[in-house]
Amino acid sequence: MKRLNMQRKHSKRLGKKGYWSGYKRGQEQGNRLGQASFGKVFEGVSIIIPSCNQLQQLRACIHRIEENTSHPHEIIVVDCGSTDGTSTYLLRKSIAVRYALLKKDVQMIGSLNQGLMMAKGTTIVVLDQNSMVTPGWLDRLLGCLHSDPRMGVVGPVTNGPFKEQQIEVPDMNENGARQFAMTFNVPKPDAWRETESLAGFCLLLRRETLKKTGYWDEGCHSIEEAHADWLLRVRLLGIRMAIAGDAFIHYEERDRDTVYGFPLTTETSMEESSRNRSFFVQKWGDADKLFHNLKFSTAETDDQISTGKETHVSAASFYPIGAVVQGPSGVVFRLESGRRRYLHGVSAAGGENVRPVRLSQLDLLALPLVGKPEVTVSGSTDAPVAESPEEPLPVLAAPELGNMSMLPTLHIPAQRRRWIELLYAEGGQLYQIGNGWKRPFLTLYAVMSWRAEDYPIQFLSSEELSALPEKQPIIAPPVLHGHL
């Protein structure tokens, strides 16, 4: 009996050892396969659904996708701290659905960005979990998107309260919406129309559009405002948007008084709307005036599209030349004209106190990496010589200021005092000037986002500034809290 017990214990130890050995091999193999597949895409659609405490709607949304989508696709759900059983449901759906479970303190915008990072399709759908897709929905949207190489984002029509995308439909439930869509969702190219804005309940976009525009801005106070902010970048790049009038999606309005599971009173809703608008204006100023005054075009020409000539126009084209930036891995670069240059350290950009600005991997990849690594060690005979850029780095400039003696300037360095004067000057405008051109910072928020006070500044006369032709403005980069 004693010998039998010893044999059982020995077998148990061997079993545990074999289990953990197999576990380790499987983990190593999974890591290798994951690294090998990183960055690879498939000819299909990634459908991204941000989620938070709306299990019933999420389950119905996924069911409708599975029921009405024949085109190759993947479903990605990113949940931020749901407590209603969503995690258990996603675990059971793990064969059919890719998902990520984030912490409770992650905002909905952050969960959307996480889903965009996970997406592997050549096209991407951003879908509100209250949107119930219908037969033929994706085929109609794809038909509109691929009708023009310059088309970058497409949205459907719906019964929901979304301005020009809302259409008159009979009062119906989900089953009625399916019957309606079977006759409505037939190819009608005449029903496609270009637009300057789209609601965020359902957006179909090319992967190339995401690469050019970057992620949604997590500095926004709501996902609706983040959608509007991202679409403004789409317009700024000259990318076309359209409403597919032959693609109907039913929007479930039973929870219109809630936003992602959190009740909103009229008072808090108005307060939130005011905060959103305040941030939007701080970042963009007068957006209508911006597009009216633009004297340049970043859209690709017909010749570039027909010849397949590669262009590098992206949101990063509106970032300041010479700025020091840092990617998610901590690597530091200097932005140059349409490219980026690797730096060993930040002082290579022109100052000991230059602080890098955080950029996403998408923004960095939109700029080709050129030049050899520069070094920042001074006085060392062994240090290699840094490669000189093709053009001198521009400097910051502003109009000459009047008497600002009312500001306390005691013990403030001269360079910092000039910055304080500029920021407090009424109507003060900051520019970046280069070899025969100037670029205005769009707003004070953009100035502060790029930490412009770390760079030297010159004050020029109005005549000197007006003599320089104006190029594209400098915009603020999106705020990101995750490792993207």
Side-chain angles (χ1 to χ4, degrees):
M1 187 70 180
K2 185 176 180 180
R3 185 177 180 180
L4 181 61
N5 288 336
M6 291 178 63
Q7 289 177 344
R8 287 176 177 173
K9 289 180 179 180
H10 182 67
S11 298
K12 193 173 183 180
R13 284 195 298 268
L14 290 176
K16 285 185 177 180
K17 185 177 180 180
Y19 170 81
W20 288 112
S21 177
Y23 179 89
K24 185 177 180 180
R25 288 197 304 270
Q27 188 180 45
E28 291 173 351
Q29 182 181 8
N31 287 335
R32 286 196 301 269
L33 293 174
Q35 292 173 2
S37 65
F38 182 79
K40 293 184 178 179
V41 298
F42 74 100
E43 289 293 332
V45 182
S46 297
I47 303 173
I48 301 170
I49 310 172
S51 172
C52 183
N53 283 326
Q54 283 191 304
L55 175 58
Q56 183 178 355
Q57 290 89 327
L58 177 64
R59 184 188 288 114
C61 180
I62 292 176
H63 173 70
R64 296 302 179 190
I65 294 172
E66 295 174 332
E67 183 181 43
N68 298 313
T69 310
S70 57
H71 194 84
H73 67 279
E74 63 173 355
I75 302 174
I76 300 173
V77 177
V78 185
D79 183 77
C80 45
S82 290
T83 57
D84 59 354
T86 296
S87 59
T88 303
Y89 166 73
L90 292 174
L91 180 62
R92 293 173 180 170
K93 294 285 292 184
S94 59
I95 296 178
V97 176
R98 296 174 60 206
Y99 65 90
L101 303 177
L102 307 182
K103 298 179 181 179
K104 293 181 181 180
D105 57 352
V106 176
Q107 295 182 348
M108 192 62 64
I109 308 169
S111 65
L112 170 57
N113 282 336
Q114 181 72 23
L116 292 168
M117 187 272 293
M118 295 169 60
K120 293 183 177 294
T122 52
T123 50
I124 299 170
V125 169
V126 176
L127 191 67
D128 187 318
Q129 56 195 347
N130 290 305
S131 300
M132 303 296 149
V133 301
T134 56
W137 73 284
L138 189 53
D139 293 330
R140 302 288 77 78
L141 288 176
L142 287 170
C144 182
L145 182 69
H146 295 311
S147 64
D148 188 331
R150 292 162 294 186
M151 192 70 68
V153 191
V154 171
V157 292
T158 181
N159 59 304
F162 297 110
K163 298 182 180 179
E164 59 177 325
Q165 290 177 253
Q166 183 177 11
I167 61 172
E168 292 293 333
V169 298
D171 189 18
M172 63 179 71
N173 54 23
E174 290 184 25
N175 292 329
R178 177 179 175 83
Q179 297 300 320
F180 173 80
M182 291 180 70
T183 57
F184 184 90
N185 290 357
V186 295
K188 296 188 289 284
D190 291 343
W192 302 339
R193 60 186 186 276
E194 287 198 43
T195 182
E196 293 184 348
S197 181
L198 288 167
F201 71 96
C202 179
L203 295 172
L204 173 68
L205 54 134
R206 299 179 190 266
R207 174 171 289 275
E208 291 75 16
T209 301
L210 177 64
K211 289 180 178 179
K212 291 180 179 181
T213 55
Y215 291 111
W216 271 242
D217 192 336
E218 296 176 30
C220 296
H221 298 295
S222 75
I223 199 166
E224 291 82 4
E225 206 66 22
H227 282 310
D229 175 273
W230 183 79
L231 291 172
L232 200 56
R233 276 178 271 154
V234 173
R235 286 185 62 194
L236 199 61
L237 294 174
I239 299 172
R240 294 184 176 180
M241 295 184 285
I243 298 172
D246 54 359
F248 170 78
I249 287 181
H250 179 70
Y251 189 78
E252 183 55 64
E253 300 184 67
R254 57 192 170 196
D255 289 306
R256 285 182 58 185
D257 293 332
T258 64
V259 178
Y260 298 108
F262 299 100
L264 291 179
T265 64
T266 303
E267 181 179 351
T268 57
S269 179
M270 292 177 61
E271 180 182 353
E272 184 72 13
S273 176
S274 176
R275 288 176 60 203
N276 293 341
R277 186 60 188 166
S278 175
F279 173 83
F280 198 82
V281 172
Q282 284 180 13
K283 181 176 179 180
W284 292 103
D286 189 339
D288 293 334
K289 183 179 179 181
L290 166 66
F291 287 101
H292 178 74
N293 292 341
L294 286 182
K295 302 175 183 178
F296 63 95
S297 174
T298 57
E300 294 177 332
T301 64
D302 293 332
D303 181 62
Q304 288 173 328
I305 293 174
S306 61
T307 59
K309 183 179 179 181
E310 184 180 9
T311 59
H312 299 290
V313 176
S314 67
S317 305
F318 291 83
Y319 295 166
I321 296 174
V324 178
V325 299
Q326 188 173 40
S329 64
V331 180
V332 179
F333 303 91
R334 183 180 64 208
L335 300 184
E336 297 185 5
S337 182
R339 59 188 189 176
R340 58 190 163 101
R341 187 180 299 273
Y342 174 80
L343 300 178
H344 276 311
V346 295
S347 62
E352 295 180 356
N353 299 317
V354 173
R355 297 166 294 168
V357 174
R358 168 79 158 81
L359 289 188
S360 73
Q361 193 72 3
L362 284 181
D363 280 335
L364 291 176
L365 291 177
L367 298 171
L369 179 63
V370 297
K372 299 177 182 179
E374 295 189 5
V375 295
T376 61
V377 180
S378 60
S380 173
T381 57
D382 299 328
V385 178
E387 181 182 349
S388 300
E390 294 180 1
E391 57 182 274
L393 292 178
V395 297
L396 304 181
E400 290 180 331
L401 300 174
N403 184 14
M404 302 291 288
S405 58
M406 73 290 296
L407 290 174
T409 57
L410 188 63
H411 304 309
I412 299 178
Q415 176 68 20
R416 186 69 61 177
R417 183 171 68 249
R418 301 181 91 183
W419 267 108
I420 294 175
E421 291 174 351
L422 174 66
L423 296 179
Y424 276 85
E426 184 177 355
Q429 174 66 60
L430 180 67
Y431 296 90
Q432 184 174 46
I433 58 174
N435 187 15
W437 53 261
K438 65 182 177 184
R439 293 178 59 196
F441 282 79
L442 187 61
T443 59
L444 179 59
Y445 177 85
V447 172
M448 299 176 68
S449 295
W450 285 108
R451 297 172 175 169
E453 67 274 16
D454 289 352
Y455 298 86
I457 184 173
Q458 296 180 6
F459 286 87
L460 305 179
S461 66
S462 301
E463 292 77 15
E464 290 174 306
L465 280 173
S466 60
L468 296 172
E470 187 171 305
K471 297 180 68 175
Q472 69 266 35
I474 295 172
I475 66 174
V479 176
L480 297 173
H481 300 305
H483 190 78
L484 300 171

